[in-house]
């Protein structure tokens, strides 16, 4: 039997697939035909959103009577649709000729129209497994029952919610239903790059499908909102044991939240609600998602932005990844007159592509939260002044070299799923050791204050409703409580969350310290992952990427919101007098234009 070969299609065409029913046979039989998207002759179709799965695990289907290999995941998806009267479908693995880079590039440009013109979009999470049928049913129960808790007079916290779910839902924390739900939310769809765009373009007609069970997208979103409103998103991570264990929300929560936020941005862009939303914003928002092809960290958002139509940005799957990243970064910085992309740049990533240090590795997840998007004004009101060497791709920017790093802590909180209270204690004591060692050294005339330490640990800001504000003395009091809790762990050993309102004469003052410590910790900890404290020759503290070394410099680049750690090229090499960008940083006392008075503006060449 012959192998199927995709016939060429016109630029305004797509292909649609239909499952053919009939007598049972060895292979699933399908029909593939071209259609002009959006035309009156185009059949109504359902678009699929799914993950390809292992490319080496394949099954054979019959496509227009000829053999065609698909992944196990695609085969399972098609098999799940056999019992449904679904009609025509669009599924990229089959409907796009994956062996033709030119066609793939053209179809990427049509992705927005493909999903917006679909009558429905189905998310395929996979076959029933690991209690997924319980998880899907439990999601529906939570959607129905949690509003009763949110609207009750109870204090909204994890303890009161645990009582509610045990009494009303018979599902205490760490119950099998929660564990099944946690496993469901770890499925690959919630981690992938392409699924973001697909969902953003179709959230109002999106249906999640796992095994034989289905649930609308916004039912899942409502459950997440209700759990977050009760300060109980941690219930989706049943292994939490200690209230000071820092655990990132599940990726599914982050992905769904991102999808809803992006849908709002896309819907209301260029209105009184959203100033603008373009390629730069989309790339940065989606930077934590995964993609098999590193090009898709750029091309995977083209369908949700309106400014990716420039010929210079045309999707080209035949171009080297490095060339795409350099060209995209240079284009966006030049067009937007913005240096925000430098917040994602630097040499600290463990598996960087061979690109200049001012170019983000879009295919690598950040180790830390970004600093340089808003609030800070390290370069005052100065605009970027820059140019590129077209031969070397070196970036020359106007800026100031202000200080040198003279000592570094041994802190290391990597971006992992779980960080324990003991990890926090070790990390914090490393910061205290740096401070005491620096202040006791005869080499330093300037002493670093405790205020400098706690302000730096908070990166000088906190969120009040939807905006950042400068930290004030109240957080100094909260820091003192945090210091007591971390350094007197044995005294707090017998304290539990259910004793939040205890009147016990011994436990009550300890609980008061613990509550105050939480005020500091819950704000500050978000900035700790992937950073460490260093001290500078001029006697200040900085919060820097983990890859920072003693001898690196602190610099300000005009037009950027934060200072940066810069590493000078080796003397005698072609890079002498030039710098690599290690990454953005927080520097105590230099975040709001103060540094402009401490040096002179010069050319900084970044390679």
């Amino acid at each position: 039997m012959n192998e199927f070969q995709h016939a060429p299609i016109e630029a305004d065409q797509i292909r649609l697939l239909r499952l053919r029913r009939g007598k049972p046979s060895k292979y699933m039989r399908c029909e593939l035909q071209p259609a002009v998207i959006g035309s009156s002759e185009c059949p109504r179709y359902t678009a699929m959103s799914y993950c390809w799965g292992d490319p080496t695990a394949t099954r054979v289907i019959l496509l227009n009577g000829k053999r065609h290999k698909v992944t196990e995941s695609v085969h399972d998806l098609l098999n799940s649709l056999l019992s449904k009267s679904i009609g025509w479908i669009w599924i990229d693995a089959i409907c796009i000729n994956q062996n033709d880079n030119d066609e793939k590039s053209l179809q990427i440009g049509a992705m927005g129209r493909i999903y917006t013109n679909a009558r429905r979009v189905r998310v395929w999470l996979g076959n029933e497994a690991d209690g997924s049928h319980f998880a899907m049913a439990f999601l529906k129960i939570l959607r129905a029952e949690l509003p009763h808790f949110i609207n009750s007079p109870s204090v909204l916290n994890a303890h009161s919610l645990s009582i509610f779910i045990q009494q009303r839902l018979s599902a205490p924390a760490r119950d099998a239903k929660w564990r099944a739900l946690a496993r469901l939310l770890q499925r690959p769809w919630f981690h992938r790059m392409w699924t973001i765009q697909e969902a953003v373009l179709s959230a109002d007609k999106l249906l999640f499908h796992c095994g034989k069970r289905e649930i609308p997208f916004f039912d899942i979103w409502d459950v997440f909102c209700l759990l977050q409103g009760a300060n109980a998103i941690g219930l989706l991570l049943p292994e939490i044991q200690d209230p000071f264990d820092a655990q990132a929300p599940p990726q599914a929560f982050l992905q769904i939240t991102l999808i809803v936020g992006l849908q709002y941005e896309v819907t209301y862009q260029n209105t009184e609600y959203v100033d603008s939303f373009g390629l730069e914003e989309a790339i940065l928002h989606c930077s934590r998602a995964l993609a098999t092809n590193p090009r898709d960290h750029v091309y995977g958002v083209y369908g949700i932005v309106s400014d990716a139509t420039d010929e210079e940005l045309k999707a080209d799957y035949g171009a080297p990844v490095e060339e795409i990243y350099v060209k995209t970064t240079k284009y966006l910085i030049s067009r937007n007159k913005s240096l925000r992309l430098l917040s994602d740049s630097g040499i600290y990533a463990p598996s960087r592509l061979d690109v200049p240090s001012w170019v983000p590795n879009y295919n690598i997840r950040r180790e830390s939260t970004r600093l340089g998007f808003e609030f800070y004004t390290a370069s005052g009101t100065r605009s970027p002044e820059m140019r590129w060497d077209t031969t070397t791709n070196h970036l020359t920017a106007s800026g100031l070299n202000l200080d040198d790093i003279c000592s570094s802590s041994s802190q290391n909180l990597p971006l992992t799923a779980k960080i324990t209270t003991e990890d926090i204690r070790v990390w914090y004591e490393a910061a205290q050791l740096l401070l005491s060692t620096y202040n006791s050294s005869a080499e330093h005339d300037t002493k670093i204050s405790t205020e400098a330490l706690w302000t730096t640990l908070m990166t000088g800001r906190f969120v009040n409703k939807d905006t950042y504000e400068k930290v004030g003395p109240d957080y100094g009091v909260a820091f003192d409580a945090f210091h007591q809790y971390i350094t007197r762990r044995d005294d707090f050993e017998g304290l539990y969350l259910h004793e939040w309102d205890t009147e016990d004469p011994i436990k009550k003052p300890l609980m008061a310290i613990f509550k105050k410590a939480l005020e500091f910790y819950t704000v500050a900890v978000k900035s700790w992952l992937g950073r460490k404290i260093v001290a500078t020759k001029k006697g200040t503290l900085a919060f820097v990427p983990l890859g920072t070394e003693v001898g690196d410099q602190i610099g300000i680049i005009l037009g950027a919101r934060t200072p940066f750690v810069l590493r000078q090229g080796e003397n005698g090499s072609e890079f002498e007098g030039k710098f690599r960008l290690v990454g953005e940083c927080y520097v105590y006392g230099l975040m709001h234009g103060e540094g402009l008075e401490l040096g002179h503006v010069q050319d900084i060449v970044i390679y």
Side-chain angles (χ1 to χ4, degrees):
M1 188 179 293
N2 293 334
E3 297 291 327
F4 176 82
Q5 299 290 330
H6 287 84
I9 55 176
E10 300 297 327
D12 61 346
Q13 287 183 316
I14 61 171
R15 298 185 187 92
L16 295 176
L17 182 80
R18 182 164 61 183
L19 301 174
R20 297 178 63 180
R21 292 183 175 81
K23 294 180 181 179
S25 64
K26 182 178 179 181
Y27 302 120
M28 190 181 307
R29 295 179 301 160
C30 305
E31 174 188 354
L32 193 68
Q33 74 166 30
V36 177
I37 188 169
S39 71
S40 57
E41 291 80 22
C42 183
R44 298 187 71 200
Y45 64 92
T46 298
M48 307 305 302
S49 179
Y50 66 103
C51 293
W52 281 36
D54 182 356
T56 64
T58 59
R59 299 280 296 274
V60 173
I61 63 172
L62 292 184
L63 204 51
N64 293 352
K66 297 180 181 180
R67 290 167 51 92
H68 183 66
K69 286 184 178 181
V70 297
T71 64
E72 288 272 8
S73 177
V74 171
H75 193 273
D76 290 343
L77 186 162
L78 296 176
N79 192 55
S80 74
L81 299 176
L82 280 173
S83 61
K84 304 178 187 296
S85 300
I86 198 166
W88 293 97
I89 66 173
W90 185 88
I91 177 169
D92 61 349
I94 300 173
C95 296
I96 298 176
N97 183 358
Q98 299 299 327
N99 297 316
D100 185 340
N101 281 335
D102 289 338
E103 180 180 309
K104 283 169 64 177
S105 299
L106 282 173
Q107 292 284 294
I108 293 303
M111 205 65 73
R113 291 188 297 137
I114 290 171
Y115 278 89
T116 53
N117 279 279
R119 65 185 178 92
R120 179 174 287 283
V121 176
R122 279 184 172 270
V123 171
W124 171 245
L125 294 179
N127 288 327
E128 189 175 290
D130 298 322
S132 61
H133 58 299
F134 290 123
M136 294 289 280
F138 190 43
L139 276 170
K140 291 187 176 183
I141 292 172
L142 289 172
R143 175 62 188 87
E145 296 293 339
L146 280 176
H148 297 295
F149 170 73
I150 297 295
N151 296 325
S152 71
S154 305
V155 176
L156 300 183
N157 57 41
H159 173 56
S160 60
L161 179 60
S162 67
I163 295 174
F164 175 84
I165 61 175
Q166 186 161 353
Q167 293 177 349
R168 181 142 181 163
L169 305 183
S170 300
R174 303 178 186 86
D175 179 78
K177 298 185 187 74
W178 290 107
R179 294 199 300 273
L181 182 53
R183 288 192 294 269
L184 179 72
L185 298 179
Q186 291 168 359
R187 296 213 176 192
W189 188 92
F190 296 104
H191 296 256
R192 306 302 298 178
M193 184 75 187
W194 277 108
T195 61
I196 297 173
Q197 174 178 264
E198 293 159 2
V200 168
L201 293 169
S202 49
D204 60 336
K205 50 190 174 186
L206 202 61
L207 187 68
F208 280 77
H209 181 194
C210 183
K212 296 180 180 179
R213 294 183 181 266
E214 301 173 348
I215 186 170
F217 168 84
F218 279 110
D219 280 8
I220 297 178
W221 169 240
D222 287 344
V223 169
F224 285 171
C225 288
L226 292 165
L227 287 174
Q228 187 180 40
N231 299 314
I233 207 71
L235 284 168
L236 300 176
L237 297 156
E239 65 271 25
I240 278 186
Q241 300 291 331
D242 189 298
F244 251 55
D245 284 357
Q247 194 147 9
Q251 176 61 24
F253 172 80
L254 300 175
Q255 190 95 324
I256 296 293
T257 302
L258 174 62
I259 287 166
V260 174
L262 289 177
Q263 191 183 35
Y264 179 86
E265 298 273 6
V266 170
T267 302
Y268 294 104
Q269 63 179 309
N270 299 320
T271 69
E272 60 179 306
Y273 305 107
V274 178
D275 291 336
S276 65
F277 180 76
L279 181 59
E280 180 179 338
E281 288 79 12
I283 289 174
L284 292 173
H285 280 309
C286 299
S287 61
R288 288 186 54 80
L290 303 177
T292 303
N293 189 327
R295 297 167 181 82
D296 290 335
H297 285 278
V298 175
Y299 298 155
V301 299
Y302 273 18
I304 59 175
V305 296
S306 58
D307 62 345
T309 56
D310 193 300
E311 187 65 24
E312 193 174 342
L313 294 176
K314 183 179 178 180
D316 181 2
Y317 277 88
V321 177
E322 292 85 353
E323 178 185 313
I324 294 168
Y325 284 12
V326 170
K327 182 170 67 174
T328 301
T329 305
K330 189 184 296 186
Y331 175 90
L332 291 173
I333 288 177
S334 299
R335 189 197 66 177
N336 297 341
K337 300 292 188 293
S338 165
L339 295 177
R340 288 191 306 173
L341 286 173
L342 296 188
S343 287
D344 273 24
S345 305
I347 63 173
Y348 52 81
S351 52
R352 274 188 63 82
L353 294 172
D354 185 18
V355 294
S357 63
W358 53 266
V359 176
N361 262 212
Y362 299 110
N363 61 316
I364 297 175
R365 287 189 176 188
R366 287 180 54 87
E367 292 183 329
S368 55
T369 56
R370 292 187 189 94
L371 297 175
F373 269 26
E374 54 187 324
F375 182 67
Y376 305 117
T377 53
S379 62
T381 58
R382 298 291 294 270
S383 299
E385 299 173 14
M386 61 210 170
R387 62 185 184 275
W388 281 274
D389 185 313
T390 55
T391 303
T392 63
N393 275 326
H394 293 172
L395 167 65
T396 300
S398 297
L400 304 88
N401 284 326
L402 294 178
D403 209 344
D404 297 284
I405 294 168
C406 64
S407 56
S408 172
S409 72
S410 60
Q411 294 167 297
N412 185 0
L413 279 183
L415 193 61
T416 56
K418 185 175 177 64
I419 297 168
T420 67
T421 305
E422 179 61 17
D423 294 329
I424 296 294
R425 184 191 65 78
V426 171
W427 186 88
Y428 173 70
E429 289 184 353
Q432 285 284 356
L433 178 62
L434 171 75
L435 192 67
S436 61
T437 302
Y438 184 95
N439 285 341
S440 62
S441 172
E443 297 179 13
H444 307 300
D445 296 329
T446 304
K447 304 304 179 185
I448 300 174
S449 66
T450 300
E451 180 181 348
L453 175 62
W454 65 257
T455 304
T456 302
L457 289 175
M458 296 188 70
T459 60
R461 65 184 183 181
F462 71 101
V463 177
N464 183 12
K465 296 181 180 178
D466 294 325
T467 59
Y468 284 110
E469 294 185 11
K470 278 188 178 182
V471 296
D474 287 350
Y475 279 106
V477 176
F479 168 76
D480 289 340
F482 171 78
H483 177 82
Q484 290 186 63
Y485 178 82
I486 287 295
T487 56
R488 296 169 47 198
R489 288 285 293 135
D490 290 346
D491 294 345
F492 294 84
E493 199 63 44
L495 204 63
Y496 299 99
L497 267 183
H498 69 265
E499 298 172 312
W500 188 265
D501 297 315
T502 182
E503 291 297 326
D504 182 285
I506 296 176
K507 292 183 176 181
K508 186 174 182 178
L510 292 174
M511 183 58 81
I513 293 173
F514 174 71
K515 290 179 180 179
K516 183 60 70 173
L518 275 179
E519 292 180 19
F520 172 81
Y521 172 79
T522 53
V523 172
V525 69
K526 297 170 186 176
S527 301
W528 295 358
L529 300 177
R531 289 195 177 92
K532 64 180 179 179
I533 296 283
V534 298
T536 71
K537 285 184 177 180
K538 293 182 179 178
T540 193
L541 287 181
F543 220 176
V544 299
L546 291 177
T548 301
E549 299 174 357
V550 171
D552 288 344
Q553 298 181 14
I554 300 292
I556 288 175
I557 298 174
L558 298 189
R561 286 185 172 273
T562 67
F564 291 89
V565 178
L566 301 169
R567 183 168 300 162
Q568 194 158 14
E570 188 175 346
N571 290 336
S573 74
E574 63 179 303
F575 301 115
E576 182 177 357
K578 301 178 176 67
F579 296 87
R580 284 191 294 170
L581 191 71
V582 179
E584 65 174 359
C585 62
Y586 174 91
V587 185
Y588 180 73
L590 290 181
M591 300 306 292
H592 298 282
E594 302 92 339
L596 297 178
E597 307 298 324
L598 303 177
H600 62 279
V601 175
Q602 61 187 31
D603 281 348
I604 299 176
V605 181
I606 304 173
Y607 67 95

